Amino acid sequence: MNYEEAVAYIEETPKFTTKNKMEHTKECLKRLGDPQDKFRVIHVAGTNGKGSTCAFLTSVLREAGYSCGLFTSPHLVVINERFQINEKNIDDETFLRAFCKVKALADELVEEGNYHPTYFEFLFLMGMVIFADAGVDYVVLETGLGGRLDATTAVENPVACVITSISFDHMQYLGNTIEAIAGEKAGIIVPGVPVIYDGNDPKAAGVIRAKAQELNSPYYEVTRKDTEIIRNTRSGIDFSFKNEYYGNTVFSIPFIAVYQVMNSSLALKTIEVLKDVIPVSADAVKKGLLETRWQGRMETVLPGVIVDGAHNEDGVAKFVETAAHFQKEYPLTLLFSAVDDKDYTDMIHTILDKIQFKHVVVTQVGGYRKVPAEHLAEIFRENGCPSAEVCDDAEEAFKKALAVKGEDGLLFCVGSLYLVGEIKTAILKGIGK
């Protein structure tokens, strides 16, 4: 089997099926030689911001001289993005080698009348094999959906657990209240292992704190009050994290979204909590934050072009917060799309309630989950934006939005990670450069 056939095999595995029991995942790891025991893990869960927090942690650890693996989801262009070693996507040969090991195990399980690994479980098992074979020191491990029942929770001995902001998303799987969702995310907490968490939502914070106390796990809460933004420009943000350990240090991050201050602060607190386990110099922390790169979350992909995969209530609200800051100085253009299992009507209403755009282009993405561009445009018109332009093809829509943006404007491409993937693919073809 070659690389293309391996990717096709994985993509044909149903993504949203009944999860296998945790015992199944642990048995799979055991039969693979317990690869997860060959490195130390920082386990990260949350609704929004967990990928960014993982990226900050990875960049700091790398700058400190450690070999580091990163497992995240979803991918935007190629599936290899889910597995990074020292901040680079694995190559196709490494992917195929790990695939063959896990595929052999899956075949054995099916022959025995057991369960085939789920889509995410298969990728997680591959990740553990990849990082063990590479001999990394640490792995920053992002959960898929939830936490308590997530395949990644089969890793039983992390050095720290991190929980980012909690909000409403995937409610059909995780529950209809913030407390219920927080309870699922808090399922990654391990007895005696420190947990660092976003404490801005009192309901979520209370659930996480109670779970940590129940398991005798040291817990550390981070809130916006612990930070002070010094400067926010289209090139990034300078801020301080106000505690005794970091003192008056000013940190810089290459992102324009204010919420990235919280994500980077969670990483800062984690590095502080682990200072006796993972020594990291102050210079490595500063440089690691400054050089962090993360795809699809308020990411500047071209001068004046920002992509954001925000697709739930909290994510869209945070996008609006950022755009509102910049509309005072720059004319804004919007390229928007969404998929049919998201509340795109409310997303559009939230965006137009606070932001005035020079021009809006709508398109359609997501294959069978697509929402017709004309339908999205109609919702824009109903919410006071009569000039929304329809362009069914995402690449052509991006070209049109770029042309409208002009030299002095900002273009925000928002609403779906599928849209982010389409734009990144277009840029790889040279569009916009």
Side-chain angles (χ1 to χ4, degrees), residues 279-339:
V280 177
S281 71
D283 285 346
V285 173
K286 287 189 69 174
K287 192 172 181 187
L289 290 192
L290 179 61
E291 296 191 356
T292 300
R293 299 293 178 265
W294 187 237
Q295 292 202 89
R297 303 296 186 183
M298 292 303 287
E299 178 193 7
T300 300
V301 291
L302 292 170
V305 179
I306 298 98
V307 296
D308 187 27
H311 53 264
N312 57 37
E313 180 182 347
D314 185 57
V316 171
K318 287 175 176 174
F319 155 70
V320 167
E321 178 184 38
T322 302
H325 172 80
F326 285 98
Q327 75 174 345
K328 302 167 192 172
E329 302 176 56
Y330 305 99
L332 305 185
T333 301
L334 177 68
L335 173 57
F336 183 88
S337 194
V339 291

Side-chain angles (χ1 to χ4, degrees), residues 69-249:
L70 173 61
F71 178 79
T72 59
S73 60
H75 61 276
L76 299 179
V77 181
V78 293
I79 199 167
N80 301 41
E81 294 168 20
R82 295 170 178 257
F83 317 95
Q84 291 187 14
I85 296 175
N86 299 333
E87 299 181 278
K88 293 183 179 179
N89 297 346
I90 61 164
D91 58 34
D92 294 354
E93 184 180 330
T94 301
F95 181 97
L96 183 58
R97 198 161 49 240
F99 169 84
C100 290
K101 287 186 180 180
V102 177
K103 172 69 162 54
L105 171 63
D107 291 343
E108 288 177 10
L109 292 168
V110 172
E111 284 178 19
E112 295 166 6
N114 211 323
Y115 296 103
H116 187 285
T118 63
Y119 176 84
F120 184 79
E121 188 180 22
F122 199 107
L123 292 168
F124 164 67
L125 295 171
M126 281 180 59
M128 297 302 95
V129 168
I130 288 164
F131 300 135
D133 288 350
V136 300
D137 301 315
Y138 295 96
V139 168
V140 181
L141 182 63
E142 181 190 3
T143 59
L145 184 63
R148 181 176 62 91
L149 300 176
D150 196 79
T152 60
T153 308
V155 175
E156 298 178 314
N157 56 345
V159 292
C161 298
V162 183
I163 303 176
T164 65
S165 69
I166 306 294
S167 62
F168 292 109
D169 200 13
H170 299 297
M171 292 153 66
Q172 67 271 42
Y173 303 107
L174 303 179
N176 295 313
T177 66
I178 289 295
E179 291 90 341
I181 296 169
E184 291 296 315
K185 307 289 185 182
I188 72 167
I189 300 174
V190 175
V193 173
V195 55
I196 300 92
Y197 63 97
D198 184 317
N200 287 298
D201 188 308
K203 293 178 180 179
V207 171
I208 295 166
R209 187 164 52 246
K211 186 66 174 179
Q213 290 171 338
E214 176 191 334
L215 297 176
N216 293 315
S217 298
Y219 55 92
Y220 304 87
E221 184 172 291
V222 180
T223 69
R224 282 184 287 273
K225 294 178 183 177
D226 299 317
T227 67
E228 180 182 354
I229 295 175
I230 298 163
R231 192 177 300 104
N232 183 4
T233 71
R234 62 186 284 176
S235 62
I237 299 175
D238 299 335
F239 73 100
S240 62
F241 184 51
K242 299 179 291 185
N243 73 1
E244 188 175 331
Y245 184 74
Y246 289 109
N248 296 320
T249 303

Side-chain angles (χ1 to χ4, degrees), residues 22-32 105 109:
M22 189 61 65
E23 290 74 18
H24 176 272
T25 310
K26 290 179 179 178
E27 174 65 18
C28 287
L29 286 170
K30 183 177 179 181
R31 290 170 69 158
L32 288 168
L105 171 63
L109 292 168

Side-chain angles (χ1 to χ4, degrees), residues 338-344 365-372 416 418:
V339 291
D340 63 5
D341 62 343
K342 302 300 177 183
D343 190 353
Y344 48 84
V365 295
Y368 72 92
R369 297 169 67 196
K370 73 181 179 186
V371 179
S416 170
Y418 288 102

